Each structure stands twice: as C-alpha cells, then as structure tokens.
Amino acid sequence: MPRDARLKLNYSNLLSKDIAIDLGTANTLIWVKGRGIMINEPSIVARMVNSDKIVAVGIEAQDMLGKTHHNLETIRPLKDGVIADFQMADEMIQGFVRKMHLSRIARPRMVICIPSGVTPVEQRAVRESAERANAREVHLIEEPVAAAIGIGLDIAKPVGNMIVDIGGGTTEIAIIALNGVVAMEAIRVAGDEMDAAIVDWFHNEHKMEVGYRTAERIKCSVGAGISAGNSRILVKGRDLVSGIPKTISVSADEIRKALSDTLFQIISAMKRALERTPPELSSDILDRGIVLTGGGSMLKGLDEIFREETNLPVHVAEEPLTSVVMGTGMALENIKTYAAVLF
Ligand code: ADP
Ligand code: MG
C-alpha cells in the first residue's frame, strides 16, 4: 500500500467513530469502532443533594455507594429496567462519553441497546441524550436481540433461538427468528432481586442485617448450585437485636434456599415465553436449547437448575457480560443487514 493511502485510511478511521452503547441496569459498556470496549463501568451516578451537582459517574460513584452523607446521594438511573430517572440517565451517558475523551470534530453514529420494556417516551429520552452527546445518527436495539447477535447466533435464519438475558434489574427472554422477536417476556427480577433475597434471608432467619454489596459477594461466590453440598461460608453483618457486628457461618445450601423464589420467578417467565412460541420454533429450541447471558447467568449451578426445570438443553454464553455490547457493535458495523432489528 502506498504511504499516503495508508495515512488516509488511518485518518478516515479516526473520523468514523462508530459507538455502540449497552445501557444496562447494572453496567454500562461502550464499544468504539477500531478501539474495542472503552467503558465497562457500573451504571451509577453520584450527586450533591443541595446543588444537584454531579460529582462522579461509574466506578468512582460505585465506590461511594452506601458510604454517602446527607448531602451526597448515589443513583442508579435504570435500576428497575426502565429509566427511573431521566435526568440522571442523561448525566450518566454524557459522563461516560466524556470519559472516553473522543475528539468532538467527528460526530459519531451510535447504536444504543436498551432494555426491551422501555416505553416510547423513554426511548425518545435516550435518543435525545445521545444527540446531546454529539451523535449524528442514533439507532436503538433491544437487549435480547443484541445479545443474540453478540453470542454469534445467526438470527436471520428461519430457525428459533431462545435467549435469556439475566441482568441486574431485568431478565429479558426472547425467542428470535428471521431477524425478529417472535415471543418475549421481560420481568423486573434478576441479579438485584437475588441480592435482596439474600439480605431478607439473613434478616428473617438469622436476625442479622447484611449490606447489599455483601449479599452480592455471597451470591457470586456461593451461587445456587445443587451440588454445592455442605460447604460453609462466613458472613459478617450486624445483629438486629443488639446492634453489634457479628460473624456467622452458613451453609451453601441456605443460600440456595434464599435464592429459590427468585429463580422460580425467572423459570416461570421462561415457561410463559415458551408457551407463546409457535410449535415449529419450539421444536428448534428443543434441539438447540436455551442460551443464557447477562451477569446473572454466571450464578453457579443456574444452568443445571434451568435444565432440570425445563428439560431443555441450556448453554451459558462465553462472555455473558459483554455479549450485548459486542452484538450492538456488530449491528452498527452491519447496519444494512440488521436494519430490521434497529429502530
Ligand atoms: P445489566 O445488563 O442489567 O447491566 P449485567 O449483565 O451487567 O446487568 O449483570 C449484572 C448482574 O450480574 C449483577 O446483579 C451482578 O451481581 C450479577 N453477577 C455478576 N457476576 C456474577 C456471578 N459470578 N454470579 C452471579 N451473579 C453475578
Ligand atoms: Mg444487560
């Protein structure tokens, strides 16, 4: 290649900054063409209560979680899958885009992945927010569709694929074929609910208060494995009666019990989606199975429980935390091919 042609290529690469955003309830990921994943941070904003001033976005805001004083609050703008706080969601998007220090000369094309329960009003808010972040063109894509693309499923074929994306605030279940969603079910029960179930368990069974981050750590280390056996873990918390900190030892089996109701709700939603699936596609799913993705799919033993409950093959995606942003990026790179799933 002649030297100036190479220079020209690099230059045009710099200018065509295509950006894919996975606006998750727990984590926001941003992929930039030619650079890969540049942001992978919790979807959290910290602001001063009296002045509304934003003091931190992402990792720095997470570090403040549970340690704030009366004049500082941490907000998760998408906590329950929908955009609970428009202004904060906007601040978060602006904050993350600023963190990437992209040149403002070239205005990027953006594809943003949103939870599928998001209303038209919320969609408009996301679009406007992207425009304020300097986008010249904005497309939206639904989470399970982006996940399917990211996992590498060929969703254009006349074959049914079932995706279960268990995030922080929502579980989104979709049966996809011919570039479209045939049946879907979104519930506001996912990783956060599992944490809350563990907090409640200690409150009710051990008269002990544990924080949500402790509960999340327990969930991630113990999981819901049927075969977890009798292994025990030490848990620190505060005695509800005396108010004094204490440490107790609990069995892995207890954690499985604590999570059982939450898992039951996810399984019920999966069954509802399967009931609404036309028989031809059901038979594809019987052969190909269900693909799990999202951080919640990393719960130890989850695939085993789902297999038992549905009698279907269950696979966990290779990269559950990044499949959505990668799929969003792939849709952006092949915008014509995926026109049917972008809006
Ligand atoms: P979202 O797309 O809603 O932002 P993610 O796909 O990023 O959510 O998943 C976040 C959820 O995954 C959190 O609830 C987190 O606790 C959970 N999670 C992450 N790792 C694990 C693990 N090893 N076991 C169980 N849950 C996990
Ligand atoms: Mg997600």
Side-chain angles (χ1 to χ4, degrees):
M1 196 191 290
R3 191 158 176 268
D4 1 329
R6 207 160 51 219
L7 275 178
K8 207 164 160 195
L9 259 183
N10 287 344
Y11 183 61
S12 72
N13 195 17
L14 271 181
L15 283 182
S16 65
K17 278 181 324 213
D18 284 349
I19 294 180
I21 304 180
D22 167 12
L23 204 55
T25 61
N27 298 298
T28 296
L29 285 82
I30 306 185
W31 172 95
V32 180
K33 186 174 179 176
R35 298 201 193 172
I37 297 174
M38 289 186 70
I39 296 281
N40 184 355
E41 299 193 23
S43 306
I44 305 179
V45 180
R47 77 165 166 199
M48 301 304 288
V49 177
N50 60 2
S51 62
D52 280 351
K53 187 179 179 304
I54 305 301
V55 289
V57 171
I59 291 169
E60 296 82 7
Q62 186 186 43
D63 289 341
M64 299 175 182
L65 212 64
K67 295 172 188 167
T68 50
H69 48 77
H70 68 283
N71 196 24
L72 181 66
E73 61 179 343
T74 49
I75 300 160
R76 286 179 55 188
L78 280 94
K79 194 168 186 293
D80 297 307
V82 291
I83 301 175
D85 188 327
F86 286 89
Q87 200 199 335
M88 287 305 112
D90 180 49
E91 293 282 5
M92 194 174 77
I93 293 171
Q94 309 302 331
F96 282 137
V97 171
R98 267 198 306 274
K99 267 193 185 182
M100 297 191 294
H101 298 294
L102 299 172
S103 127
R104 287 189 65 87
I105 303 166
R107 302 184 58 201
R109 277 197 308 182
M110 287 191 197
V111 176
I112 305 182
C113 178
I114 50 169
S116 31
V118 161
T119 65
V121 176
E122 292 168 328
Q123 289 175 18
R124 190 158 0 104
V126 171
R127 250 183 236 283
E128 285 170 5
S129 194
E131 280 157 11
R132 266 195 296 280
N134 205 28
R136 88 178 122 89
E137 195 182 310
V138 185
H139 305 273
L140 303 180
I141 186 168
E142 285 184 318
E143 179 143 343
V145 178
I149 298 171
I151 288 162
L153 302 174
D154 185 354
I155 61 166
K157 282 196 184 146
V159 175
N161 292 290
M162 181 162 174
I163 298 282
V164 178
D165 180 346
I166 308 172
T170 52
T171 295
E172 295 178 56
I173 301 156
I175 285 104
I176 304 170
L178 293 169
N179 277 332
V181 175
V182 182
M184 95 145 278
E185 193 66 43
I187 55 167
R188 291 186 194 164
V189 174
D192 295 341
E193 281 287 312
M194 297 180 199
D195 304 345
I198 293 174
V199 169
D200 288 350
W201 177 271
F202 281 98
H203 187 275
N204 299 331
E205 302 294 319
H206 297 285
K207 303 287 170 263
M208 183 166 131
E209 198 181 334
V210 300
Y212 282 87
R213 296 206 71 188
T214 302
E216 187 184 19
R217 275 197 294 273
I218 297 171
K219 169 185 77 176
C220 294
S221 72
V222 180
I226 300 170
S227 47
N230 299 325
S231 60
R232 298 186 77 81
I233 49 157
L234 293 176
V235 177
K236 282 191 194 122
R238 188 170 58 178
D239 189 282
L240 275 178
V241 182
S242 68
I244 295 171
K246 67 172 181 182
T247 304
I248 60 166
S249 152
V250 296
S251 68
D253 196 48
E254 272 196 54
I255 305 304
R256 187 173 62 81
K257 279 197 196 119
L259 294 176
S260 68
D261 184 50
T262 311
L263 298 185
F264 173 75
Q265 291 185 55
I266 297 176
I267 292 163
S268 304
M270 285 161 62
K271 288 183 176 165
R272 284 198 298 277
L274 283 165
E275 275 162 23
R276 287 209 306 274
T277 305
E280 294 295 339
L281 295 176
S282 298
S283 74
D284 293 339
I285 293 163
L286 194 60
D287 297 337
R288 300 161 63 92
I290 302 170
V291 184
L292 307 182
T293 190
S297 72
M298 290 155 72
L299 189 78
K300 281 183 203 136
L302 188 68
D303 49 343
E304 200 178 331
I305 293 173
F306 284 1
R307 224 170 273 134
E308 268 186 11
E309 290 290 329
T310 61
N311 285 320
L312 293 168
V314 177
H315 316 281
V316 180
E318 261 167 47
E319 303 284 349
L321 291 166
T322 55
S323 59
V324 166
V325 80
M326 293 313 287
T328 307
M330 282 157 79
L332 177 60
E333 283 200 287
N334 304 285
I335 229 159
K336 286 206 181 95
T337 316
Y338 290 112
V341 293
L342 295 167
F343 50 98

